Amino acid sequence: MGLGKGDRTEATLKATVKQIFKVIKHMEHEVWYKYPQAVHHLPDEIHFVTTQELEDRWPELTPMEREDKIAKELGCVFVMKIGDKLQRSGERHDGRAPDYDDWALNGDIIFWYEPLGCKLEVSSMGIRVSEKSLAEQLKKAGAEERAKLPFHRALLAGELPYTIGGGIGQSRLCMLLLGKAHVGEVQASLWPESMREECDKVGIHLL
């Protein structure tokens, strides 16, 4: 989706995330209407937290353990500002390409998922890099040679529009809405016979 330069803000990012969450909640209601016994009830609200706030709160934990903690506490959360180094440890919360999202304006939508006892990420998204953030992030990543590539040259020259985008995991969303424990319950694929046998033992039917 295209953005004006003045729309490259945290407010725009949060408003977009809230709209996505609203659509997911609408899908939950649609599933409940058709399959009332199957729906997995979701939280009524999405919360926002930065990776630095998570490190400050739980410095002894790994980034993924922090995500589990905050997801269990809040139910659904948008973990913001992924890619740059954290202040306390000097480590990155998680990897992000320097020429994709703006590390100050991105994040992941995660839910606490009781059937698996851990967080479940359904979307990674963000406002895409601008001329300034692309140059800064290429330098931080030691990838300044990419500035010579056609896309990067055009963006750095101000020839491309500002955008926001991301992906939503369709199979994970189906798992979330239906309360399934294995992705093979919502998408057809090939699985080792040993895995099928183990799943059968606990009542998981793989497609």
Side-chain angles (χ1 to χ4, degrees), residues 96-107:
R96 284 296 188 276
D99 42 13
Y100 191 53
D101 291 341
D102 186 323
W103 293 343
L105 295 169
N106 68 356

Side-chain angles (χ1 to χ4, degrees), residues 5 8 98-102 105 127-137 152 155-156 158 160-163:
K5 188 171 184 178
R8 295 189 74 263
D99 42 13
Y100 191 53
D101 291 341
D102 186 323
L105 295 169
I127 293 175
R128 305 311 194 203
V129 286
S130 64
E131 307 96 310
K132 180 181 179 182
S133 59
L134 174 60
E136 291 175 350
Q137 291 175 191
H152 300 68
L155 183 59
L156 290 168
L160 300 179
Y162 299 115
T163 60

Side-chain angles (χ1 to χ4, degrees), residues 25 62 86 139 186:
K25 286 293 291 182
T62 68
L86 299 170
K139 185 175 181 179
V186 297

Side-chain angles (χ1 to χ4, degrees), residues 18-119:
K18 288 178 180 178
Q19 186 62 35
I20 293 171
F21 179 78
K22 183 178 179 181
V23 172
I24 293 174
K25 286 293 291 182
H26 178 74
M27 291 175 63
E28 175 194 22
H29 297 152
E30 289 293 314
V31 173
W32 178 86
Y33 180 75
K34 293 182 179 180
Y35 310 103
Q37 303 305 316
V39 70
H40 177 71
H41 294 288
L42 306 179
D44 293 324
E45 183 180 1
I46 187 167
H47 303 265
F48 296 86
V49 64
T50 68
T51 54
Q52 188 58 57
E53 289 172 334
L54 292 181
E55 185 188 47
D56 291 343
R57 185 170 179 185
W58 294 299
E60 74 283 1
L61 300 181
T62 68
M64 296 304 103
E65 288 172 339
R66 294 170 198 150
E67 288 192 2
D68 277 338
K69 278 274 195 180
I70 199 66
K72 186 173 185 179
E73 178 180 309
L74 299 178
C76 181
V77 62
F78 186 64
V79 178
M80 303 170 60
K81 301 187 177 182
I82 302 174
D84 212 342
K85 292 182 179 180
L86 299 170
Q87 295 174 6
R88 293 174 67 107
S89 65
E91 301 293 330
R92 290 181 171 84
H93 179 84
D94 199 2
R96 284 296 188 276
D99 42 13
Y100 191 53
D101 291 341
D102 186 323
W103 293 343
L105 295 169
N106 68 356
D108 294 340
I109 299 175
I110 62 175
F111 287 81
W112 174 250
Y113 195 52
E114 195 60 44
L116 295 178
C118 65
K119 57 104 175 178

